[in-house]
Amino acid sequence: MPHDTSTNYGVAEGGAKVTLDGTKTILLVGVGGQGTILAGQLLAMVAADAGLDVKVSEIHGMSQRGGSVSTIVRVGEKVESMICDPGCADIVVAFESIEALRAQQFVREGGALFVNDERITPVPVNIGLAQMPEGVDAKLEAIGARMIDAGGIAREVGSPRSANVVLVGALSTALPFTVEEWQDAIRRRVPPKTIDANLQAFARGREAAEA
Amino acid sequence: MSKQLLSGNEAIAQGAWEAGVAVGVAYPGTPSTETLENFVTKPDVYAEWAPNEKVALEVGLGAAMGGVRSLVTMKHVGVNVAADPFMSAANTGVNAGLVLLAADDPSCYSSQNEQDSRYYAAFGRIPCLDPSDSQEAYEMAQKAFDVSEQFDTLVMLHETMRIAHTKTLVNVVGSRTAVNPRDYESRPEKFVMMPANAVRRTLAANDREDELVAWAEETDLNRVEMRDTKVGIICAGALYVHVREAMPDASVFKLGVTWPLPPKKLAAFAACVDKLYVVEEATPYLEQRVRAMGIELAEFPGGRLPRSGEVTPAHIRASFGLSDPEHLPVVEGLPPRPPAFCAGCPHRLVYVELKRIKAIVTGDIGCYTLGAVAPFRSVDSVIDMGASLSMAHGMELAGTPERTGRPVVGVIGDSTFAHSGITSLLGTVYNGGKGTLCILDNRTTAMTGTQGNPVNGVTLPEQAARVNPLDVPAGKQLDLVKLCEAIGVDEVEVVDAQDMLAIRAALKGATSHTDKLSVIIFKAPCRLIDRSRKPMPTITDCRRCGRCIQIGCPALGRDETGHAVIDPNQCIGCGQCAQACPFGCISKEA
């Protein structure tokens, strides 16, 4: 199914465990089918379990067919809007490097940018109607992107489809939630058969971001 | 009580269930679709997909008239389809509660327009509730049924994409109100809309309007939040949270009911603030109504809000003359990444061949709308559900094929054909129309997420039980061939949509004569319901002609030397590229 329709996850009780200074905005961008929605839901579960307010805005429908997609997650004591305007993202996680450049204006001053070191050629480039930009890596380096080889890591742990969870691992290093909280959310959210692979993917994503 | 992270649609499903709703009916449409998909998973409910929104509302009205609370959901343009029963139901009223969820799509993320469904609520003079997050969606879904029964009226629950598809925390009670079916008694004076009764029901609606205005003045769904009195803002829905984000110090009149508006309460708010503004998106729905009350609105100091598209906190700040935070510039010149047919999509080769014969294609609503973009650019019109077939007939009447020397071909999907194409085809046959119509039968309602439909025979409860359309016995599926024959189509042919030469032959045959009406059913399952993969083809001695690339498969690209290469992560081994290669360089064998 292109989007999961049965995603009612209970939130663990226990009151506020984490406090944030203001609202944090995390923007996940990628290409339809890369798993940005699942990544956003994992983050939302962790934040909600930590007693924070959460809003997760997803784009469904036509753009899921291989088009540019984005998921916005906002967490804090009280979250108002679910939208991320330019200059308002504390963290951007790009699941694809061209999409990272496409989203660079959303990163706030001093914000973090994690980028999956993968390039998916858009169909207009393949058919000769557009060109891939030159010097993508240099441009990303110039804006302080942290490159993560999520696809490679996911293949190494034997679960090529877990690149999104590798990126969640990288993202987790920039947020004040514990490893156990993330692991707990992964166990509750991913298909049972894939739990171990996804936990490994998460751990390796953390290592890659901290390296 | 438990805290849950729910989308607006999930919250509405939960609220409706707790309100004792017994029947849910819908036609899928972004951004409304998941509401019924969630509702059907609840205990002790019945829910179904209707072939279209008109049927859905009629089924819902029948169930409500028959005595049980009913929920009908659709996207904004679906309300157009349902407009006929909508306007009558607005006059008949209900027996048990009846709520219509209308989900709008400002900025057209997945729609052909961004019309504002609240105009329909005003048109039919029925109450419209407008939640600002999932907690409110959950509560209003319940409240809407009480209002429906209290005022004997159809109620609109209105949401936009940002409410429908944003997950926010909801305090879920989790228990269902026991609602016994209401007694049914025949009331022709209320439900038989022949002229004399219709006139009386209109008078009843006049009285109801007065009662609803009085209610709107009192209900706590409309909320005044006094802060700094220099700026007062009237807003509703997602705009409320954007206003709170952008203008945290402003006083706010938050409308939870967007029809009818409360004139006295709004005037009182206007008197408490120095300058009053309306913040809304896509249409001036609220602004027009507030101005019509004689309430003065101020000009935005930083210029008006966008007249179309979503309004975000940044737009609001700009209109109040506040600056954006510093940020990096937008990178110019990046290659666009529009949506595209999936690898192995059964629509692709049909468009390759339609392009080859330079057909004028009247298209329709679904994934196959993407035949309008490169590399195909083969679709001349996409208007509404079913228009492909009727417009092809209209172009034939205009003599367009003769004058252009190009065949006109109507192209419609299976679910869209069941939705509104059958009557179009009937009209063409009845009037002796000729030409070529294609039904792209991919065995599912793909664009909205592989829902069941009458053609594949999967019901909503079966879909919830994960029944694959490919496992449904033929006897449960709509037989498109028999249907077309019964309607009186001259020639009906079924063609494998993964066989390029067969597609070519069928289109050539059908478009070569002008004295017959031909329907070609191009059949092959959507890749989202048939996940099987075959070995990836191998490319040897590539001549670099690029013909395979021009079928627009996302798994196909070129290396630095121009040699065609296949992305093993995306390729599913469908073999379309092998068929497109004129030199036989791509083998289907691994």
Side-chain angles (χ1 to χ4, degrees), chain A residues 35-57:
Chain A
T36 52
I37 285 182
L38 178 118
Q41 287 175 358
L42 286 173
L43 166 56
M45 288 167 73
V46 169
D49 286 351
L52 295 171
D53 193 16
V54 187
K55 290 191 175 175
V56 189
S57 180

Side-chain angles (χ1 to χ4, degrees), chain B residues 493-524:
Chain B
E493 191 180 356
V494 180
V495 174
D496 178 0
Q498 296 288 6
D499 184 338
M500 193 170 78
L501 293 179
I503 296 167
R504 187 176 302 170
L507 283 173
K508 188 178 176 190
T511 56
S512 62
H513 51 68
T514 53
D515 58 336
K516 279 191 278 199
L517 178 66
S518 302
V519 171
I520 311 170
I521 300 164
F522 291 113
K523 192 169 174 177

Side-chain angles (χ1 to χ4, degrees), chain B residues 123-260:
Chain B
F123 195 16
R125 297 189 292 165
I126 63 161
C128 184
L129 309 190
D130 232 318
S132 294
D133 59 24
S134 299
Q135 178 71 40
E136 288 190 359
Y138 166 72
E139 291 167 4
M140 285 186 185
Q142 300 173 66
K143 183 80 177 172
F145 286 94
D146 295 337
V147 171
S148 174
E149 290 172 0
Q150 182 186 344
F151 295 96
D152 186 14
T153 178
L154 171 65
V155 172
M156 177 178 284
L157 183 57
H158 172 256
E159 62 175 359
T160 55
M161 184 280 274
R162 290 292 174 185
I163 302 301
H165 287 165
T166 297
K167 288 179 188 286
T168 73
L169 291 170
V170 182
N171 289 310
V172 175
V173 172
S175 62
R176 181 163 157 95
T177 311
V179 181
N180 292 323
R182 293 193 163 199
D183 291 337
Y184 178 72
E185 53 173 323
S186 196
R187 295 180 66 188
E189 76 287 356
K190 180 167 156 64
F191 286 104
V192 178
M193 285 300 96
M194 56 203 292
N197 291 341
V199 167
R200 279 193 286 273
R201 288 309 302 173
T202 307
L203 295 174
N206 295 346
D207 294 341
R208 185 184 70 198
E209 179 173 356
D210 295 341
E211 291 164 18
L212 283 167
V213 171
W215 167 74
E217 296 281 7
E218 299 299 325
T219 177
D220 58 9
L221 297 175
N222 293 326
R223 187 169 77 225
V224 176
E225 299 173 1
M226 292 310 297
R227 297 184 190 88
D228 187 338
T229 54
K230 285 195 204 67
V231 171
I233 299 174
I234 300 168
C235 54
L239 277 308
Y240 167 73
V241 292
H242 301 340
V243 164
R244 292 291 299 127
E245 184 81 32
M247 301 288 291
D249 298 327
S251 294
V252 173
F253 194 120
K254 181 197 180 302
L255 286 161
V257 179
T258 45
W259 197 92

Side-chain angles (χ1 to χ4, degrees), chain A residues 77-101:
Chain A
E77 299 307 310
K78 172 93 177 84
V79 179
E80 297 290 356
S81 177
M82 70 296 278
I83 283 180
C84 174
D85 280 310
C88 292
D90 296 279
I91 308 169
V92 172
V93 184
F95 287 47
E96 196 272 349
S97 55
I98 307 286
E99 296 309 310
L101 289 177

